[in-house]
Structure formats: structure tokens, C-alpha cells
Amino acid sequence: MQAAEKSLSDLKALPNTSEAQLAADFLKPFALACGTKNPKVAASGVTGLLRLVVFNGLPSDSLRDVLQAFQECATLSYDVQLKVLQALPSLWQNYAESLKGKLLVFAFQVCFTLHGSKTAVVSNTAAASLQQLLAFAFENVAAEDGLPSSNKTQVTISTQDGPIAVHQAASDAYYLLNDICLLTEGSRPQTLHDARLTPEFGLELLESLLTVHIDTVAKHPEFVHMIRTRLIPFIIKVLSEKSSYNVTVRTFRLLRLLVPKLLPAMIAETQMAMSLLNHLLDASSSVTWKRVLCLELWRDIHDDPTLIRNVYTHFDQVKENKSLLGDHLSSLVRLAAEKPAVIGLGQRSSGYEADHSLPAEQLAVEAGGLSGAISLPADEMNLNKQGLNAKWSSVRTSCIDQVDKTEPPVLPATYLYSLVLTIINRFSDGLAKFLLPFTLQPDEKPKRKQKSVLKQQNQDILSSTDHHKDLTKVSTTAQSSNASNSSGKKIPVNPLQLKDHEEFEQIRISALVVEHCWPALLATSSTFLNASLDSEYYHALIRSIQRFTQVAGVLDLETPRDAFLTTLAKHAMPSATIGSIKTPGTGSFPNQQINDVPDGDETKHGEKRDRESHFDLDMTSRNLLCLRALLNLGTALGPVLHHSWAIVFHCLHQVDVALIASQQRSITQAAVDRSDESDTHEIDDLRAEKSAIEVAVARLFETEVRISAARNLDGMINRITSSVRDIISPTDTIRQCLDALSSAVSYLWRSAETKGGLGCSLEIHSIALESLLSILERSGDTLQFSWEIVFSIINSAFQSRDQPVADGGQSHFEKAASASRSSKLARSAFSSLHLICSDFLGALPNRCFSMLLDTLHCFSSQSEDFNTSLTSVALFRNVADFLQQGDEPESRLLVDEEVLRCTLKDDLVHLIDAQADDISTSVLWMCLVLHLAHLSTDSRVEIRNSALHTLFGIFDTCAGRLDAVAWAMCFRLVFAQLLSAMVHPKTQAGGDLRNWDDTSIVLVRSISVTFNQSLATMSEHQSVASVWDEMLARFALLLNRYSLSLSRAIFSGLADNLAEIERTPGTKTVSLDAAWALWVDNIPTSDALQKSTDNNGALTAYVRYIRQLHQMLPRGLNANQAGALMEKLKICIIESTPVAYGSDVDEMTEMQSLVLETINLVPLSTEDVLTQLVKIISSFVSLPFQADDNKTRKSKTYIALSKASMRLLDNLANQQSFNDHASTSHLLGLMIRELEVPIRHQYKGQREGKGESTWKKATSTFLSILDAEMLGKCTGDGKDKQSMWEAIVSIGDAIMAADTDSCDLSSAIHADQAFDIESFSQLQKVIIPSLGSPSIPDKIRRRYIASIFQHSLIHEPHPDDLARPDQELLDGLRSHHVGRVQDLPPNRRSKMAYVLVDHLFDLAAVHDGSVQRVRLAQIAAPYLILRVGLVLKAYVYDQPLRGLMPQPLSQKMEMHYVLEKLMELDSEPKAIPETSGVQSEYKKHLFLLFGLVTRAMRAARRDEEMRDKLMKVLDVMGWILGFD
């Protein structure tokens, strides 16, 4: 109680108590409460400590007291214990840096004490807290490792290997780990003295720790030492003794975590543990469930091929160590043959036969051994079932993952053998996944389709024979894929030859693993090949054998490769023929008969022995499955099998004998004899497998024979061509060779569909094309009349084009494109074509050039080989150069009159047909151009662009050989059609229109350049105008695609064209109206495809285009054109994209400068043009202050543009042409209204640049524009003048006003106030007395004077003192209200207010008696009376309430100033109404204030200074009334 009272007193004296002292004292009552052992009091104390811990309110030096308090509460009621557990996580989270050393041990002791509670909730929660605290300790270690060495405290710990220097967090974690290991093994801890721990929970703690922080443990030698000296011996002890199931399971799980990460650091310990695992696999060494745990652990180890290689490296490869991997696989051999009856071991593999007398549900229950089912126990049932089947040979959850059980689960008898099978499968898969990728050639890049085919081939072995239809389909697909890929088969790379590869050492180790482990793997696999397996297990086994054999083959390890091939061949044949197969270099297999089945298999086959004796030569589906695996290996390893092919061919021969024998009996009759359903399924599977094998074998032999014949023909042709010079008539001989090749190729594709040899046909075709290339290289100059055959053979690489085309509107040039049969054929044929275009163009007759162009078109448009397409397009240039450099003189035109008469593309085709024997060069040149034009619309952007560059390169070289008519024809047939194709591009499915923009840009630029080149020639003919109009029309359509980059190219090109037209004589017939319309209708502000958001380039080209066009307009701009021009230019300013990493505050952007330059070039020809010019320039002035939701405004300020526009307005107003127009006042009004906007935004937060502020610049510009001379020259009607004066009055109000609330700097306000005072002084000198002119309405004058009155107020008046809208101006002075005593803040622009007061007095004063002055005084006088009256009335009502308090200084100064000015004023007599009894007509204004002055005298009875001032005013009033 005393401690609590002291804490309360400390809280009351909080300002005088230090924070540390307060925290220490405030903790005492809670700690004492916890030590009372009273549950109620302790609960309150723990709750207080809990809140302090959660809110981080404890000093670090009080943690021991807090932990001591928690320790004392750990034995109380469970609700107190739970609160302690609730506080612990926050404690080590908020005080991580302080919870070290003994404090950390103390926290663990609290958790261990709570874990020993008999309450399950508390014990389980404490267990979770222990796991968290242990993880927290190792997280500190990881965090400490990331700190620099200078920030870490070093500690030395003693180990058996000597002292180790560690840091603080690592030291804490080391001792904790040591104690947990000691507690787990039942020893006495060294630091956690009172802790108790069961082995099960200790292993669980260690597993949770190593699962998350195994990497941290592996980095620290002290932790590795602890595990090596403490944990591993305990694990070995548990494995060696008869420990409980749950302890053993957790021990295996720990070993599974430690071996992969710590193997190199614990060689001896790991060897001992894993040797023990191999020893436990013996049936006499351990119980079944422990053997299962050993196999499950090995199974998980085999999942990591790298770990397997490390095991072999550290143990099997080192003579001093035990051969762990070899012993392990050897134990698998013994285990697999341990109980032959259990796995159904026989002479050959057989499937599981289901007991159809029971329903499927009951079978599933029996197979799984579900608890509660009315059936025999699982072990007892499995004794009656033979073989491995997924239904009873597997479990849902592995034993090693069943950590919550105290007794071992009931396991199927065959589960042990299924694990063995899984291990050898994963062993083979790991080797294959690592080694097979290295067998690819360096230039091989497998495509997705090829990968899918290989995957499908592998799945051949995986496919279930229950689905024989799908199996047949997959088999057929795989065989066709093999056939298609058999041509040009590359030899797989032996990984052992990659000595420079970074993984070579791992490759070498893998090869040693294969070489040393294959006998054990073969023995185990052979055992299971003869066992009773279901389809899933059997397929997995065959796949494993196939992959291991392939690995041995690519490593060139003959012995294991041939052994496994022989094993597959043995099981691919019927049992009656097994003894006849021989391995190269070995003897034959023992002749095994079906009758030699062991006794364990007698029971299963006894009932069917008589039936099976008739099927010794029958092929089962599993025989054929092995055969297909053998064929797959022949496909994969064919180039490296060498003499081992004898195994494959001998097996095929024996299988062929068996198939013939089996075909002599009716499968249907056999199906009738076999009554059960399993036999029916077996027959279906057999039929599917036989069909697939027969097709594969037939194609194998057919392919070899055909390819051999093709190679013989190729060899004969090579011998002929090599000695062609010695032949008497070489031309005829070469023609006969070409005819032979042509006949072979034509027959090839007529028969390919019927015989199905697609891959073979491609190989033969490729050989024929290579023969053609050989003929051309050796005898190309002797062909003469055989070129048609050459092109026929080259074109055979493409699919036939003689088929009817669906679209009858296709032109000849569109039909020329065809799809190639394969990319390899296309490349082979292109080699010959490339040779022709390079060396034999001079040998080609003119009639063959059309065929050459069509062939080049085919190769350019094919999509299988991209590089071939690009090169083909480039070869068009070779042909064009040859045609242009013919025997004809250069002065002759390339396009003759016959071609010029063609109006359509098809007319050229008819002309080609008419000149079939001797086609003119003009026709060929034009056909070449049209071919390139069509290729310029290809779906591939690179091909399109290459074709365009080639096309316009041709035009560039022959520009001087085309006349005006030829140019017009080219524009009509080529350029216009290309532009039309770009408007609606023919994209493929999923194609991107953005790529077409790039092509369109290339086309537009090229056409613009070509137009300029041809303009001088076309100017001599009237065609230039039609070409120009057609080009503009096509460009307009392209602009409708709304592409910024394309718009930029179009307007840039047209600007250059306009400049060239202006320079070229004879082009006056070109119409500029269409050019103007194109510009007005197509402003490029946005991109439809969102390809680019920067539109500055497009808009810049757009503005430059109109500048060039404007210079060429003969009559200048009319009103409509000027309006459109200004509107579009403003849009360019507003919609232009902000410049990246730039600002338009101090300097204008390129777009802004360009627009102002363009505007400045517009001549002031008419008043309408001048008005439009003033409007747009004035709008730029206010642009920075306009509300705009456009996203492009976010980073644009327009400040520099606004200032530049002000300068432009100033220059414009001072030009003589400005004053010559009839409505100067209207223009001035437009300018002034926009200049007012920056002034109104004086303190609105607008960003300003380095120079003069925008509002100051606007004020200076306004005063520069508006001078007395300008006002005197203003012309226009009354409405325009009235509008001008309204703008002047409004901008004057803006100068007087300023939103000072938006400005925080008083110095800035004072400086700006001085500028405004000077500006206002200049303004009133200009407009006074002109503002009093009779032509100006009184409402304008009243607005001006009301503004002066409003901004002259220094203090805010009482609301009742101002007249309401329905009252007269001075009615508010007659109202009554309660006074105010609070101090009224003065106007922050007081100097401006006093200047306005002076100006108000000046307006009401008498001057020269002119009409202007009198009008101003008449309106100013009431506002003056109101201004003075507000000061007097405020004094009358407020001063009596102040009592003895003086009047605020600012109000006192204002009142003195106003009274002084009031006495000095000589008012305009006509401005004040006549009053009887007043002797002075200049002081009549005093009489109107007499009542307020006398009331002020009464209020000033205690203010002597103010009373004296008021007395002087009364004296003057008395004088004007005639009193002395």
C-alpha cells in the first residue's frame, strides 16, 4: 500500500520527477504485488507489468525485477500464468537489445517453469513460447552477423576443440543450444539449472529451430561443434537402441535436416549415422517400421541429386571411408529379394488381378486398413495379396511425417518394397535431370514444340495400358515425331568431354556414380521386372531403366549401357525366345521357361497354367512396353550405340517371329476363352501395343531404304558434275541430272501422304536440294535452257501454289507468297537461289527473271526462317542493280510506254504473259518494284522495313531515269497503295499495331524524300498537282490512326515538301487549301495505342508545318483562318506533354517558344486578325492561373509563357498598326481583363521563377499599356469603352486588394505593398479625372470609389454600421448596437489603406470645378462621410466599455489621422447637399458629422488627448455655423 501511495504522489509531482526515477519507483508496487503469492493481488500486479511491457514503458535496468516477478507468479493460478505468458513475447520483442546473457537465461527459466504446469493450456502455451524464444535467440545471431565488427562485443567460449571467439548473441545461443541438447538426452543442464524437458519435446524444439535457422547454424563453427558433439551422438544412440516410436520419428526428422546442410562439416558423424541406416535395413537388425523410416529418409535424400553426389564424393570415393551409397544400393538388392512371395516374383512381370467378388468400396477399405472397418487387419490381408499395387502398397502419410503418434502405424506388407522402387526411380531421375541437358549441341535451342514432343515420348512409358486408344494415339504421334526428327540427327555430346565447363567436376562425379552403382541398380530393377506390379509401378520402373540407360549411353559407359539394353530386350520378348538373345561380347541369357516359376508364384498361376502353356510365344502389353522403351533408347542413343545395335535388331527379329506366331491364332477366340474382365483388358492393351510397334518397325526400314537411295543419287550427280568439263555435251548431261532431281522431288510429295514418311521425305528432299547446289557451283554457267527446271526444284521447297485461291481478288503478287514445307528445306533451297543472284544473273535469260522474282518473293514471305526472309529482300537490290546496269544507255528511261499504259497491277501480269519469251527490262523493273511493294506490307516489321529501305534505295539510284509520267505512275501504283495498306494493316492474330507505326513512319519519310527528288521533274507536267492531292488524301487517312510518332513524321515530311514546292518554279498549280484543311483537322495531341505519352515532337512538327504553309498563302489569313490558327496553337500549348526533368518557370518550353514565334509572324492585316491575336496572347497571360483538370497540367506552370505574352502584348499595344484600328478600347479591354488574373493571384501559392513575379510583371505591363495618351486615342463605340473602363476599375481593385492571409512572410507583404502603392499612384494619375467623363456610367465610378473605401478600412467595422442592400449608404451610421472591447487587428497593408484614405479625401476635395471632378466628388463624398463616421461611431460605442483601458494604438492613430484630414478638407461644394446656417461651403461635410463628433466628446471624458482633438473639430464646426 505504501508503494502504491508513493507512486501516486510521484504521478502528482510528475513535472519535478525524472523519467528514470519515475519508472523505477512506479514499477515497485506491481513487483511487490507479484511477490505476495496472493492470486488476486498477483493478478493485478501481472496485469500492470503486462501493460508496461506492451507499451515499452520499462527501463532496461528493471528487466531482472520484472522477470523475477514473473518467476514468482509462475506457480500461481492458471489465469495468472497465462498473463505471464502473454507478456513474454512483448518483452523480448520490445527489449531485444537488453535481453541478453543472464536475462535471456532467466526468461527461459520462466518459460520452463510454466511448461512444467499440470494445466494443459498453460503447458502448451509455454511450449510455443519456448519455441518463439529460442527462435528469437537465433534471430539475434543472424541480425548480429549483419552488423560491422566495431559494433559487436566479442566473447570466448570453450569447446573440446579449443576456445572459439564469438559475439554476444552467438554466445547466448550456444549455451542455450547446449542446455537443450543436454536436457533432451536426460543430462543436467549447465545454465538452465531448474529446467526439465522430455526427449520428445526437446527434439521438437530442435527441429523447429533447425527448420528455420539451419543456415545460421551452418555458418557458425560453435553451433556445428555442438551438433557434432552433442546432438549427433544422441541421434546415433536413439537409432541404435529400442526407443519409442515418437522419439525415433523425430530423430529421423532431425537427421533429414542436418545431412543436406552440415555434411561437409560432420564427415565422421554423418558416416556413422548413415552406416547405421544401411545396417537397419536388414530384416534381422530392426523392426519393420524402423526399416520403413530408414527408406523414407533415403527417399528424401534421393530427391536432391546434389546431395547424392556429395555423399559419393565424401564417402564412396574416399578409400578411408565407408561406401555409403554403394552399401545403400546393395541393401536395396537384398531387400527387394527378401520375400519373393510378397512381391509376386515370377518368370515375368504380371499385373494385379482384382477380386471382383467384392465391391470397390470394400476393396478400398481393405487395401487401406481403415480403423473401424469390419475386415481383417491390413498386415493379415496383405499376406493374402501378392505384388505391388497403388491401392495397398502406399500410405497417405509417410511414417516420418506422423509425429503425433505414440505407437507405430499399421503398414501394408508391400509398402517397404514400394519405397525401394521409388528410391531407384528417383536415383535414375536425378542423374538424368542433371546430365542430359549437357548432351545438347551448343547451337541447339529446343523450341516449345520440340520439348512437347520429347515430353510426349517420355510419357509413352508412363501411359496407362488401361486406355489403349489414347496409347495408340500417343504412340503414333511419337513415332511420327521420331521420323520427322530422324533426319540430320546430331550426335549427343558426351558430358565428360566438357572439361572447360564450370560443372565438369560434378559431371565427373556423376559418371563415377553411374559406373560404380549400376550393378546394384540392375539387380534391383531385374527383381522388380519379374515381380507382380500394377501398371503405375511398372511404367515407373521402365522409365527409370530407360533414363539410367540413356545416361550411361551419353557417358559412353558401354558395360552398364549394354547390360540395361539387354535387360530391356529380354523383357521385350516372349519368355520362349528369351534365351536366344546375346549381348555383344557376352553369352546368352539362360533359357528360362514359364514352368520354372518359383514356389511362391505357384499359387497365383496354378489355375491358369494349362491356358498359359498355349501362349509361350504370345506378346503381352508389358513385352511391347519394354520394346518401345528399347526403341526410344535406339532413337536417343543411335549415333553412339555402335555395336550395341545388335541387341536392338536381334530383339526386333525375335519380336517379329513372336508377332507372326501370335497372328496365326484368333485374338477374338482367345477373348472368348478368357472369361474374366482382366483378360479382356489385356487383349485390348495387347492390340494397341502391337499396332504401334508394327507401324514403328515398318517406318524404320522404309526410311532407311529411301534415304539410302537418295544418297546414292546424290553421289552419282556429284561424280558427274565433278567431271563435267570432260563430257562432250555437258549441257544435255546437266539437264538430265536436273530432270532426275525434279522427278524425284515431284514423286516425293505425291507419295508422302500415302506412305506417311514425312520425316523421310524431308530428308530426301534436303539431299536433292544439296545436289542442286552442287550442280550450280560446278556447272552453273552451262545450264542455258535448264533454268526453268532449276527454279522448279528451288520452288519445291514451298507448298504447291497451283491450288485454287479462296479470295479470287488476289493479285499475282499476293499469290506469289507460299508457306515452306520446313525451315531446313527453305535454307537448303535458298543457298542455290543466293548463288544465282550473286553469280549467275548474267547467265539468266530475260524470260526467267519473272520466275526469279516470284521465287525471291516466296523466300521473303515465308515465316519459318527469319534470316532467310531478310536476305531474300536484300537480293532484290542485286537484281534491280543488274537491270539498271544493262546494256542500255543511262539516258534511256527505265519505264517505257508499254508499261506506262498499265493502269492496274494485273495489266503488268498480262504484259508479262504477252512477252513470255523475251520480257523487256522495263516490265521486269516494274514487276520488281511491285514485288517489293507487296513485301512492304508483310506482317513482320523487320521484313516490312527492309523491303521499304530496299524499294526507296532503288528509286534513289534511278531517280534521274524516270520522267514525270513515270513518277506519277509510281506514285499511283506503288506509293498510294502502300499508304492505303498502312491505313488498315493486316495484322496477324494477336499482332501489335504499334509495329505498323514504325513501318508507316519509314514509308512516310521515304515518300516525302522521294517527292522532293522528283518534284523538279514532275513540275514540267500537270501531274504534280494530282500527285500532291493524292498524297495529302492518303496522309489524312493515316492521321486518323492517331499515332503521335506517325503524325510527327507526316507533318515533318510535308513541311519539307512545302519548302521544296516554294523553292521549285512551275509548282503554282499545287493547291494549298487541302494542305490547310489537313492541318486544321488533325492536331496530334494523343496516341490511340498509348505507345507514347510525349506529344511534343508531333506538336512541334505540326506547328512548323503551319509556319511553312502560312508563308506560302498568297492572301494571308482571313478571319476564320486566323481564329482556327489561334485555337489550334493554344491547344498545342495546353495539350503538350510536360518536359521531363525540365521546368517552364524561368524559360519557356520549345513548344511554347515556337507557338509565340509563330504568332509573332502573323501580320496585322485586318482588325479581325488583330482581335484574334490579342485574344490568344491575352489568354496565355492568365493560363497559369486557370483551373484545368487535364493531367498534363500537373507539371506545367506556364509562368515563363505568361511573362513572355505580357511582353508581347506591350509591344503589340505600342505598334502604330494597333492604334490605326477602329476599336482600340475593345482590344485594351481584352488585354486588361487577362492581366488582372495574375494580379488577383498575388498570394495564391503559384510557383514563381527567379525574375520578377508574375503579378508584378502584369501590373507593370498594364501601366505601360495604359497611359494618358493611350486613353486619349482610344476608339470604339460606347459599349467597348464602357467594357474597357470596367476592366480598368477591376484591375485597379486588384492592385488595391491582396489576400494577405495566404502569405506568411511579413517582409514580403511590406515590400509588395510599396510596389502596389506606387502602381496605384501611377494608375490614379492616368485615370483621374478621365474617370469622371459623362460618357462613363456612374456605376463604374461608384465601383471604383467603393473599392477605394473597402480597401481603405484599417480595422474591420461592426456589421451593423454598414448599410444593408435595401438601405441607403449612410443608414448604417444611425443603427444602435453593443460595443466591442476586443482588440481588432489592423490591416496588414495599413500603408495602402492610408494612401487610399488620402485618395478618398482627394476625390471629395474641391479642385478646378470641372465636370469630371464634380462627378467624382459627388460619388466620393458619401463614402468619405461613411469612412469617417465608422471611425467615430466605433469610438463612441467601444470606448465607454474599455473603462480605464486606453484605446488600441492602431485605432487611436487612425482616428487622429482621420480627424486631422477632416479638418483640413475643403470639399467640393456641389458634392455636399446645401445646409441652412452653414457659412462655409467648403466645410459642409463637417456639419454631417456633428452628431457623431459630439457623442465622441462624451465618450472621451477620460481620454484627454482625444478630447482635445475632438474639441478642435468642434471649434471648426462652430466656426462654420457662425459661433465664435
Side-chain angles (χ1 to χ4, degrees), residues 1282 1285-1286 1289 1329-1347 1411-1420 1423:
Q1282 178 180 340
W1285 278 105
E1286 287 177 349
V1289 169
S1330 301
L1331 185 59
S1333 173
S1335 60
I1336 301 175
D1338 286 342
K1339 65 178 182 179
I1340 297 177
R1341 284 186 284 271
R1342 185 172 292 107
R1343 180 183 173 189
Y1344 173 71
I1345 295 173
S1347 297
V1411 177
Q1412 293 92 334
R1413 281 290 184 178
V1414 171
R1415 287 180 178 275
L1416 289 172
Q1418 288 175 345
I1419 295 177
Y1423 284 96

Side-chain angles (χ1 to χ4, degrees), residues 640-658:
V640 296
L641 280 182
H642 308 302
H643 60 270
S644 298
W645 273 110
I647 303 174
V648 179
F649 290 136
H650 189 75
C651 180
L652 287 175
H653 172 71
Q654 297 297 330
V655 169
D656 186 42
V657 172

Side-chain angles (χ1 to χ4, degrees), residues 82 845 1119:
L82 289 176

Side-chain angles (χ1 to χ4, degrees), residues 938-942 944-945 982 985 987 990-1002 1041 1089 1091:
D938 191 88
S939 59
R940 295 161 295 177
V941 60
E942 296 85 359
R944 294 197 302 270
N945 294 345
M982 297 301 156
T987 57
D992 195 350
L993 284 175
R994 296 180 178 90
N995 292 331
W996 284 91
D997 285 348
D998 299 336
T999 304
S1000 301
I1001 292 170
V1002 173
R1041 284 176 48 188
L1089 296 176
K1091 182 179 180 181

Side-chain angles (χ1 to χ4, degrees), residues 1430-1440 1442 1447 1455 1496-1497 1499-1501 1503 1506-1507 1510:
L1430 290 176
V1431 176
L1432 294 173
K1433 189 176 180 181
Y1435 187 82
V1436 169
Y1437 280 88
D1438 297 345
Q1439 189 62 25
R1442 295 190 179 100
Q1447 185 183 13
M1455 190 167 178
M1497 277 293 296
R1501 63 183 184 272
D1503 189 353
M1506 187 60 67
R1507 190 171 61 249
L1510 290 171

